[in-house]
Amino acid sequence: MRATNNKEHGPNDAFGGKDSDDSSMLPDFDASATTEYACIGAIYLGAFACMVCLVISITTFVACIRLRNRSNRVDFWSSGYLLPLPTAAVEVLSLAMNFVFTICLESLAFVHATSLRWALYRENRLHFNTNLRLLTNAKSSGPNKWYINVISTACLILCYVATSQIFMTADDFSPSDISDAVLINPIALPILGICLLCYVVIATWAMKWNHRHVPTWSSSPITNALATRHKHLTCHGNRCLMPVHSALLSSRPTFPSQKQPSLISAIPNLSYLTIFIWTLTFLSVAWWLSIVLISRSNIVNHHPSTHWYLSMAWTRDFVVGGDVALNSVPIYIIDSPWKGYSTPNLTQHIVAIMFMTAIQGLQTVGLHSIELVVNANRDEDIWRRAAALSARDGVFWSSNIGMPRKVNPMSSALKSWPYLYLFTLKSILHWSLGQSVRPKWSPAGITLWMTHGPIFVYLILMFSLAVFTQYLCMRRPNGPQPATWGHLQTLIDLIDDWGDREGEGRLFWGDKGDGGRRDGIRHAGTSSNQELVDVARFGVLYE
């Protein structure tokens, strides 16, 4: 952040600006107490979900012991608790659970992210309103130190892995020949409960540790910029049309532009993220092709009398013309499905979870990184509401929406289509990956079945995620209003009038005249009075 003790004067008062280096002249910022209470509620919700998981885990544990006592099996981890539901209903239940736990994790992550934001400010490292929560550490905040971030990342990955592996199917479950029974995984639920508990503890720690150091719990870039302004962050004058991409340049007169630079030009490191997401997409295509070819090879080489069919069936096998066709590839945790127990089943469950962690970990880190892109776009959309302009015949007309000075984080998220899309895709992607690699219990042990029907759906979802990320990184906002992408110093430089003391109402951005200057250079800025601003003029210098 470009905070400095060499304060420059703000825009001339002739333009109607009220910004001053004296914070007593600024309006109060919204402490967002309602959001703080919502964060406390999110912690209680996470604790409740954690308790439910652990209680069901204990119930499953007891059921497994009883199963051992009724059978000749020594290892009671050989199976889980039988669930009296059809497979289709369990798949829907699994998807619903992914949505529920995503809500819990996102709510707890909000507390952790707010803690990080103001810890970075205390260390003079806060540049953007949104930061990569798990990939950015702060020495001044215990819950945001690097080793806590490592624990948080591991818990996040394991939460999604466990959620997608809670249910598993079984062959030859009992002498009564129950086929494809659905079991509750006796290892996945305890892992989910413990990891969720760690997340709750970290969120509680973040709230307690930084309670006195968080001036506002709002996620709005405008509120947070005003809060840092109150903390004597300097406003640099004569930069009314200089976007975040010019943050390192000295103040100078600037012509308005019809399009603003993209997010990726403001944060060049995002190019690595887009490459990473596209790499995961191509890997998912290669994965699908490999499973298709291997399943075909298994049929041709080992079952020559059976025809091979390319099917998008969700199950591992299907019937076509009297033939039973296999569209899956098994991965045996033991040496061979016919050699009996070479590994205790408890170890097999753990190995299966670790295998899925290796696969799902890359996806989880990628989705977390995309949150930066989505939130930066949301920050920009909030700022651009001050002068929402639409192009028509090359002329930009003001729609007079106005930028609200108080923004509810929940309302802002629900009104942001990129956030809703990412949230939905995040839940479905984790569920889809769990459907693509399914654990199956049999008397021989645990087998992971990779089915190319769900894998194909997964690669389609990954492709849509890659296109979505590329679009948000490359899109260029219309209109002469400078792009900030949530950069707090740029927002402070552009907002010359924060409105009345109460901090209510809306702010409008636009042309504010020449202030009586003879050189023809004009000024653009904000005002709580819509009549004091006009559409910016192209071909005219502003400063």
Side-chain angles (χ1 to χ4, degrees), residues 134 153 156-158 160-161 276 280 357 359-371 426 430 433:
L134 297 179
T153 304
L156 181 64
I157 295 172
L158 286 173
Y160 283 119
V161 170
F276 178 69
L280 291 182
T357 300
I359 296 177
Q360 207 149 345
L362 294 175
Q363 172 185 279
T364 304
V365 173
L367 287 169
H368 169 69
S369 301
I370 295 174
E371 292 176 7
K426 186 183 298 185
H430 288 298
L433 190 55

Side-chain angles (χ1 to χ4, degrees), residues 37 41 192-193 289 304 395 489:
Y37 295 141
L192 177 59
L289 289 175
V395 180
Q489 180 64 68

